[in-house]
Amino acid sequence: MRQPELESWLVGTLDDFKLCQSESLELRELLPKLAQDDIAFVRNKAFVLAREPARAGGDNAVASLLWLEKISKVIDNFRQTQSVTITEAHFSPGEDCRRQLLDLVVAARETLDISVFTISDDRLSDAIVAAHKRGIQVRLITDNDKAHDQGSDIFKLIDRGINVRMDNTENHMHHKFAIVDKRILVNGSFNWTRSATDYNQENILVTNEPKLVAAYLGEFDSLWDEFDR
């Protein structure tokens, strides 16, 4: 999103002199995709936009300052989470990769975007369903051929209400990554299967590096749109 679009978005949220919950969530989802200069632009432009009604006085003055306070709080919270760098490597066989994935799914607070070739590990599938039940927005992309494999949990997940889209081409959707709350990326060779935990030489990398998270989130969103056919 370019700076004129960011300004237009800010102006739209200020129309009713309050930042509603959906607008706050939209801003939190937008921030990981922005460069630091654009984040600074959002904050500075918010101050500029709030200044005029604040000077005019009246009820709108207080409301505009509360709007500005909420905008600033969302940005400050985002910067605080980004200030601690996460970079971890995990390997299998053994519980290391699966345990880390389970911990991240359980820790999700708002969104869980998963793009994985195959899922047949019930512990991971059950954790995804539990996240969905507690209100996490779950999106899952997988390969159409692997969904029909014996032991696949994909149709069980669909039956539990998980929003699933599948590769609809003759090729394979071979990714194995997930993004938690739009800010933590898990990527590697590890399929979400029992074999990957018990027998295979596999790996995952966990990071909150903003550029990498933004790149994978962009790929996920692109595939999500592509497979909606």
Side-chain angles (χ1 to χ4, degrees):
M1 185 178 288
R2 297 179 179 178
Q3 290 186 359
E5 295 172 304
L6 292 171
E7 180 176 355
S8 177
W9 183 87
L10 285 169
V11 170
T13 66
L14 187 57
D15 278 347
D16 57 358
F17 293 98
K18 64 180 180 180
L19 190 74
C20 68
Q21 185 175 358
S22 62
E23 291 168 340
S24 179
L25 178 59
E26 187 176 355
L27 179 58
R28 290 199 296 270
E29 293 179 351
L30 178 63
L31 289 172
K33 303 176 184 179
L34 299 181
Q36 290 300 316
D37 288 348
D38 290 330
I39 295 174
F41 172 84
V42 171
R43 180 190 288 277
N44 294 337
K45 183 56 66 173
F47 273 92
V48 170
L49 293 172
R51 188 175 297 138
E52 183 175 345
R55 285 176 176 171
D59 293 340
N60 288 344
V62 175
S64 65
L65 291 176
L66 290 174
W67 171 86
L68 176 61
E69 182 181 9
K70 288 185 177 180
I71 291 283
S72 297
K73 185 176 180 179
V74 172
I75 293 174
D76 288 342
N77 287 343
F78 170 74
R79 284 181 165 166
Q80 184 177 0
T81 60
Q82 297 300 308
S83 63
V84 179
T85 301
I86 300 172
T87 305
E88 299 175 356
H90 302 269
F91 302 93
S92 68
E95 287 291 330
D96 195 19
C97 291
R98 180 165 62 183
R99 182 72 262 164
Q100 183 64 25
L101 288 172
L102 287 170
D103 287 348
L104 288 168
V105 171
V106 169
R109 291 295 173 263
E110 295 174 357
T111 62
L112 184 59
D113 297 322
I114 302 168
S115 179
V116 65
F117 185 48
T118 183
I119 298 179
S120 61
D121 188 322
D122 291 345
R123 288 181 61 184
L124 292 169
S125 300
D126 290 345
I128 294 169
V129 172
H132 169 70
K133 288 182 176 179
R134 68 174 188 271
I136 306 303
Q137 181 185 342
V138 181
R139 298 187 296 174
L140 195 154
I141 296 173
T142 192
D143 186 76
N144 56 343
D145 293 330
K146 298 301 290 182
H148 295 278
D149 280 1
Q150 184 176 1
S152 172
D153 290 335
I154 293 301
F155 290 103
K156 180 183 80 172
L157 291 169
I158 293 173
D159 289 342
R160 300 295 189 276
I162 305 301
N163 201 355
V164 175
R165 293 185 183 176
M166 301 186 198
D167 170 27
N168 48 26
T169 72
E170 295 180 356
N171 304 312
H172 288 305
M173 200 303 300
H174 207 245
H175 285 311
K176 297 105 176 176
F177 70 86
I179 305 163
V180 181
D181 292 333
K182 313 294 185 186
R183 67 181 188 86
I184 298 177
L185 167 68
V186 184
N187 181 49
S189 66
F190 189 89
N191 273 309
W192 294 26
T193 66
R194 290 182 180 274
S195 294
T197 295
D198 295 339
Y199 308 113
N200 297 350
Q201 306 291 334
E202 307 279 5
N203 73 85
I204 59 172
L205 180 70
V206 181
T207 180
N208 66 346
E209 203 289 318
K211 289 185 178 179
L212 289 176
V213 173
Y216 277 84
L217 187 56
E219 172 68 5
F220 187 96
D221 287 340
S222 177
L223 291 175
W224 190 256
D225 291 341
E226 179 181 344
F227 297 150
D228 186 23
R229 297 174 187 173

